[in-house]
Amino acid sequence: VAEVVLYATKAVLHPTRPLFDTQTQQLKPRCVRALRHIFKLCDMDGDGVLNDQELNDFQVACFNTPLQPDEIRGVKKVVEEKLPSGVDEKGLTLRGFLFLHALFIERGRMETTWAVLRKFGYNNQLVMDEAHLTVSFERRADQCVELTDQATDFLTSIFHRFDKDSKGALSVQSSRRALSAPRCLRVCFGEPSHGHQERTNLAGADPGVELEELFATAPCSPWEEPRWARCAESTGVHAALTLSGFMAQWALTTLLEPEKMLAYLHYLGFTADQTDPQVAFRISKRRKHEKRKGRFSRNIFKCVVLGAPGAGKSALLDSLIGQPFREVPGGAKASERMAVAALETEGLPPSKRMVAMLEPEPATAAHLLQSPEDLQTYDVATFVFDSSSPASFRSTSAQLSAMAVWILRRNLNERSLEGGDVISTLLTRVLQWVQMDCEVPCVLVAAKDDAKGISKDLNEEVAAFCTSLNMSLPVSISIKDGDSANIHSRILNVAMHPDEFVPKTAAMR
């Protein structure tokens, strides 16, 4: 009975399944990634080998017991006999480190590997445990999280380290997997010596897997969700991520998911004090305070892109990151899209700020339009309509109206609804929007200017709408013809000078 209890306890506390595939006799990819991350953290001189001192420091950190010199020699001898590439003249290589853990598991000593993993903050799913990431990102809706210069410099160095072919871009696709390392571990269990053939891609020498290799110490890429596809500047047929695109994508990750960003800094080896948020992150001042001073210190501005279906919103996002125009099939399912890029600001001295444009899926957009509190997280709202379609303009106008209905019900008395005039009702709602400190400036965009053109009647309707709100006329663009009218820089300028672009009724002027 005692033996049954012992094995049951081991199965719960030190499960084999997350670590090892018993059918293929391989460490599982996520386990390899975690161990590789730990190896990199312990390789203090960064030479790709754990020397005797580093190996001893690792032993003390995990088990609070040093290794004697003869014990270190014994460990290396065991590895060298089974896997010659696991040891070199300097010490234990990554292959040897992985071999040892495969050997522990094969011999039923899963608790050894789990002790190492848990010491470095991994949970049973082999991701960083939340308790190990203690930074608080508490903030108000009009504040944002950004990376510090120290974190930015670290990520820039990571980019150059993994840009193996020095082409200034990290390749995304490959014909082979970067994490083929587990297969070489079959030699641990008595296969012939040819089973440990060298696989150079484990060390990241294959330029075809640069981005995948970069995340080899993390459970997976942080950008696997479909919404991260084509969201930053890339180049080439395989969409290799440029340095500016790489940094912009990290800035967007920090903006939207700072907790994830913290975990990935840890996975990538950022060794600064993880409990001090000021080392890697800064939280911006409140937008309303910066607006009063007329100067924004934040480096990234968040823009929501709304409008009628098929109006050209996705093309607007694609053009921000330099992607060529592409036709979207009619009836294609709308999904969430994002795009982020650094743009030159107006005025002197010249500087760059990032614009993050988010196109929510229809259901999310419908909720957002009725929730001014959620809108406060955005610095600017861009409304897009098809300039050749009166129905498209009216649909976009209806979205703006829907956004204000919720505010109206909470804050306006019934007399505000009298008269039945759509525009006057809309103006009153926008007024209340401002009174609730939801002063999100708006940009109106007339897309598809390459089409048959705006009709006279629609032109008059749009002009009346803009005049009543004291807004500029819509910016006409044709992404298909390459005429963006510098729209993205205009949106950035609106975000940085919001008071000039908040719709105002006659009563507010």
Side-chain angles (χ1 to χ4, degrees):
V1 174
E3 188 174 350
V4 172
V5 172
L6 175 63
Y7 279 106
T9 302
K10 287 185 66 173
V12 173
L13 297 180
H14 310 113
T16 303
R17 188 173 182 179
L19 307 179
F20 197 75
D21 189 324
T22 55
Q23 291 186 340
T24 61
Q25 294 290 285
Q26 299 175 39
L27 291 175
K28 289 189 174 181
R30 184 166 284 196
C31 179
V32 172
R33 289 172 178 265
L35 292 173
R36 184 173 186 165
H37 172 228
I38 293 169
F39 181 91
K40 285 184 63 178
L41 292 179
C42 297
D43 179 19
M44 300 303 294
D45 56 11
D47 64 353
V49 175
L50 294 185
N51 59 40
D52 289 0
Q53 183 60 53
E54 290 168 339
L55 193 58
N56 191 58
D57 291 342
F58 164 78
Q59 172 75 12
V60 172
C62 293
F63 306 104
N64 202 30
T65 303
L67 290 171
Q68 298 303 315
D70 59 333
E71 291 177 313
I72 293 178
R73 287 192 294 271
V75 168
K76 292 192 288 188
K77 183 178 179 180
V78 169
V79 173
E80 189 173 16
E81 288 176 350
K82 291 288 188 177
L83 189 69
S85 62
V87 177
D88 66 13
E89 65 278 3
K90 295 181 180 179
L92 190 69
T93 67
L94 172 61
R95 293 176 185 276
F97 186 73
L98 294 173
F99 166 83
L100 278 178
H101 285 282
L103 190 61
F104 291 145
I105 296 169
E106 190 266 344
R107 293 180 176 177
R109 292 175 53 190
M110 285 74 68
E111 66 274 10
T112 301
T113 299
W114 275 116
V116 171
L117 292 166
R118 286 168 179 155
K119 179 64 180 180
F120 283 86
Y122 286 89
N123 60 22
N124 281 7
Q125 288 70 48
L126 296 182
V127 297
M128 296 303 298
D129 191 84
E130 291 183 3
H132 195 73
L133 304 171
T134 56
V135 172
S136 171
F137 295 104
E138 185 176 353
R139 60 199 182 278
R140 302 294 289 270
D142 60 350
Q143 293 178 286
C144 66
V145 182
E146 299 179 295
L147 293 172
T148 62
D149 291 342
Q150 186 175 345
T152 298
D153 290 344
F154 169 76
L155 291 171
T156 301
S157 69
I158 287 288
F159 178 93
H160 291 301
R161 186 190 311 169
F162 285 88
D163 182 17
K164 304 295 183 179
D165 52 11
S166 300
K167 292 184 177 179
L170 297 181
S171 54
V172 178
Q173 299 178 3
S174 172
S175 59
R176 56 180 178 164
R177 294 282 300 170
L179 289 176
S180 56
R183 292 183 175 82
C184 79
L185 295 177
R186 288 183 175 181
V187 72
C188 303
F189 311 117
E191 289 195 7
S193 59
H194 65 266
H196 62 263
Q197 296 177 17
E198 296 297 325
R199 301 293 296 273
T200 57
N201 58 324
L202 182 65
D206 178 11
V209 293
E210 290 168 341
L211 194 62
E212 187 175 7
E213 179 69 15
L214 188 152
F215 293 123
T217 56
C220 59
S221 166
W223 305 320
E224 286 190 337
E225 299 173 38
R227 65 176 183 157
W228 290 99
R230 300 191 337 272
C231 76
E233 181 185 77
S234 58
T235 184
V237 293
H238 294 304
L241 201 58
T242 65
L243 175 58
S244 59
F246 181 76
M247 298 308 298
Q249 205 150 307
W250 281 125
L252 183 59
T253 306
T254 307
L255 177 71
L256 301 180
E257 302 176 89
E259 293 82 5
K260 175 192 281 189
M261 186 69 234
L262 172 61
Y264 274 84
L265 280 175
H266 193 80
Y267 293 136
L268 294 175
F270 186 72
T271 55
D273 185 358
Q274 297 292 331
T275 64
D276 183 358
Q278 295 182 354
V279 173
F281 302 95
R282 60 169 168 257
I283 297 178
S284 72
K285 297 178 181 178
R286 295 197 64 182
R287 186 189 304 118
K288 68 177 185 179
H289 295 158
E290 292 193 307
K291 187 167 59 175
R292 289 168 188 161
K293 294 181 179 180
R295 184 176 66 255
F296 285 89
S297 60
R298 65 187 66 192
N299 292 313
I300 187 167
F301 293 86
K302 189 178 176 185
C303 170
V304 61
V305 181
L306 304 166
K313 300 184 292 295
S314 293
L316 182 63
L317 269 66
D318 285 339
S319 64
L320 173 66
I321 56 176
Q323 292 294 316
F325 175 80
R326 56 193 178 88
E327 295 282 358
V328 178
K333 183 180 179 180
S335 58
E336 183 181 11
R337 280 287 317 279
M338 304 187 298
V340 59
L343 302 174
E344 294 282 354
T345 62
E346 296 181 1
L348 295 174
S351 63
K352 284 193 172 183
R353 302 288 180 98
M354 290 191 188
V355 172
M357 303 185 74
L358 287 79
E359 176 192 352
E361 60 183 0
T364 304
H367 169 76
L368 185 65
L369 291 168
Q370 300 180 49
S371 177
E373 287 90 346
D374 291 340
L375 279 168
Q376 283 186 295
T377 65
Y378 292 93
D379 299 287
V380 58
T382 298
F383 289 87
V384 185
F385 68 95
D386 180 347
S387 62
S388 66
S389 169
S392 179
F393 172 71
R394 288 160 192 157
S395 176
T396 299
S397 300
Q399 286 192 341
L400 189 56
S401 298
M403 175 182 62
V405 164
W406 186 88
I407 304 171
L408 187 68
R409 289 174 178 170
R410 283 187 54 183
N411 299 278
L412 295 183
N413 56 44
E414 293 300 322
R415 289 180 300 174
S416 302
L417 295 173
E418 295 176 358
D421 184 273
V422 174
I423 292 181
S424 63
T425 302
L426 176 60
L427 303 186
T428 308
R429 292 169 179 173
V430 172
L431 171 60
Q432 187 59 32
W433 182 14
V434 172
Q435 292 173 340
M436 287 184 65
D437 197 29
C438 293
E439 296 182 337
V440 180
C442 298
V443 179
L444 195 58
V445 176
K448 301 187 179 182
D449 198 41
D450 53 278
K452 60 184 179 181
I454 190 168
S455 67
K456 180 179 179 181
D457 290 343
L458 179 57
N459 192 43
E460 292 176 352
E461 185 177 348
V462 172
F465 176 82
C466 294
T467 299
S468 299
L469 290 178
N470 198 34
M471 291 177 62
S472 300
L473 291 172
V475 181
S476 295
I477 64 171
S478 172
I479 303 300
K480 183 176 182 179
D481 286 349
D483 179 15
S484 68
N486 207 26
I487 183 61
H488 306 106
S489 294
R490 292 191 186 197
I491 291 171
L492 174 60
N493 183 59
V494 168
M496 295 181 67
H497 304 90
D499 283 339
E500 302 174 25
F501 299 94
V502 175
K504 295 179 175 65
T505 65
M508 295 170 56
R509 298 173 202 164

